[in-house]
Amino acid sequence: MKWSLSFLISVSVLFFSCQHPAGSGKATGGTDPLDLSSHDTSVRPQSNFFLYANGAWLKRTVIPPSQSSWGSFSTLRDSISARLYRILDSISRSTSSVKGSIAQQAGDLFYSAMDSAGIERRGLMPVRPELDSIGNIKNTADLMNEIAAEYKVNHGPFISFYVSADDKNSTLNAAHFDQGGLGLPNRDFYFKKDSASVKIRKGYTDYIRQIFTLTGDHPAEADKKAMAIMELETALAKISKGPVALRDPLANYNKESVASLNKTMPGFKNFLKNLGVNADTVLMGQPAFYRGLYALIRKTPLQTLKTYLCFHVLNDDADYLPHDFVNAKFEFNKLLNGQTQMRERWKRMGSMVDQQLGDAIGQLYVQQYFPPEAKQRINEMVDNILTTYGERIRQLDWMSDSTKQKALVKLQAIVKKVGYPDKWKDYSSVTIARDNIISNLKATTHYAYLRDIHKIGKPVDRSEWYMTPPTVNAYYNPTANDVNFPAGILQPPFYFISGDDAVNYGAIGIGIGHEITHGFDDQGRQFDADGNLKEWWTAEDARKFKARAQKIIDQYNGYIAVDTLHVNGDLTQGENIADNGGTAIAYAAFKKTAQGKGDEKIDGLTPDQRFFLAGAQIWRTKNRPEYQRTLALSDPHSPPMWRINGMFSNMPAFYKAFHVEPTDSMYRPDSLRVKIW
Ligand SMILES: [Zn+2]
């Protein structure tokens, strides 16, 4: 399964302090890890807890022009960017690093990306071979060969191909083929009729036109190409599923023999051979999409298909081409994300190195910025939360004993991964030079492609990570049944090594509970202890789960994401289940600590109040309206305010901590409150 369930989809500062390696259970003198200046005392906590906890911060904070969002995640990311820059700037200055060493590879990749003068000078030359290869396509067979060739280097036209565990045989890797090929975030962006959607489609068409104008096409010719691509992508969107329909792991699981696929789609076998896939069966995520695509390719003029391929090569590489291309792409992205200025080049290119050589830069990062004590203490917290989770499952009043036993087996089988991988990827075969970013990207993506291809049919390596160490995020992987917390998120304001338990359980503790709960959300619950997509629930318990999940869907459907656009309760149900379960369990685990059992106030706040305020502090976030709208249509997470108010308004402990009464907005009648886990 490609998706893994993260704490936050797209997110980024503070310095790690390690003066108190042992947990003290109390905030130690000096600064409170809770930012009390963030509270808005003109808002009652019982009316809108998010605005009470974060209102003053929201009023005084201006989103930086280069950001679509600003808050706990983005400020930490920004700080990590600065650390990565210090590392990369230092190693990229050296021309004497041993060839093939991680310092040489990461340093030279960064150098080539920062060489904007060289990039201007070379113009389109680095992408010329691919554009020429597309130009030479004479028939459908050539076209299919070209698509396969592009998949080996940094491009992914028409489809989505990847290698990961077979959902029903989770110890073995399989080749997966999903729907793909769209330039806009998902199929809905091609059909929605509201003015913002119309503007985005016009902006996308303008962007395509500009890309072709920049390659030297006459404006009329560029216009024709843009229209043809838009028409083709709209046809692709028509045969694609929307984000809610894609949340069904059973519907997405279709093991098909290559021989039979080749009967319905002659040429498919040859395509797989060119792609390097040597298998008798493959997993088709959305078979109807492939049948539709097969027909579409046959009825679309070859010239249009070639134009589509050219555009996507240029679009994929635009950030590494001359400035006019970079700028054209930025202008289009503004419509989706709302920033008014481009992020600094060093930040963008630092992120690129992290994406391409994550285990190289990650090693250098953790050596400097991740003390071993942090790993040990987070491991302890995860264990405490897992133990509490087990107690909660045993006490559930809606689940039968037989399903409970299986849920406990699954819980006990969860593997925790903290900080960074036990073994690093070996990049020694990747050749990185200082003088051509595009050829470097081909080298890194070809390396990733070869790793994938060699995995097909082989045992899954469950020690592998799917986020890099500096990432400010976390995830649960259902086929491995593991939770993963990269070093990046294990620092303030998510985790304070010398902070009190209330704050740490309210911040990273909620995150830990959230990831574990993904193993038991609407999707994750369909995978068993071994990570196999397999029914282990009694029909009656599954029915009861769905009735509870429906209450969560209804609750979040009632919230406004931006303007008049509501939160999509179906799209966000898995994340909302994870939020609600994660918070309830982190709270229960906190109540077992000395501070949780006591009532000693710190800075005038009770232990429980500190727990809830810490939770609200990590979601202290301001999104630009354009970005919030894009997220509402594509992100499975609810907007920050509703994540906090939604989950806390389901918790009796919150009512008690802040004296919430039936007349208050944060109050939900008992019949509407949801408790699943
Ligand atoms: Zn999540």
Side-chain angles (χ1 to χ4, degrees), residues 392-400 404 544 548 675-676:
R392 301 262 306 184
I393 288 175
R394 283 186 198 93
Q395 290 162 12
L396 291 176
D397 58 6
W398 58 271
M399 187 184 267
S400 69
K404 276 184 188 175
K544 288 179 177 168
R548 279 165 174 73
K675 175 183 174 265
I676 303 185

Side-chain angles (χ1 to χ4, degrees), residues 5-8 474 514-515 518 574-575 578-579 637 643:
L5 304 139
S6 65
F7 196 29
L8 197 108
H514 174 106
E515 296 309 336
H518 272 315
E575 296 299 334
D579 275 348
H637 304 82
R643 291 186 78 161

Side-chain angles (χ1 to χ4, degrees), residues 303-357:
Q303 193 52 48
T304 301
L305 299 166
K306 290 165 69 169
T307 305
Y308 165 89
L309 289 178
C310 282
F311 167 68
H312 281 288
V313 164
L314 294 162
N315 177 45
D316 294 344
D317 288 341
D319 287 330
Y320 315 100
L321 288 171
H323 181 74
D324 288 345
F325 286 87
V326 183
N327 201 47
K329 189 167 184 169
F330 172 71
E331 287 297 321
F332 164 61
N333 279 329
K334 269 161 106 173
L335 295 173
L336 294 171
N337 302 326
Q339 311 101 301
T340 52
Q341 267 178 28
M342 214 179 287
R343 270 201 314 154
E344 296 90 328
R345 187 173 191 92
W346 61 266
K347 286 186 185 169
R348 289 184 280 123
M349 298 308 147
S351 302
M352 179 276 296
V353 177
D354 182 39
Q355 283 159 25
Q356 300 299 324
L357 295 175

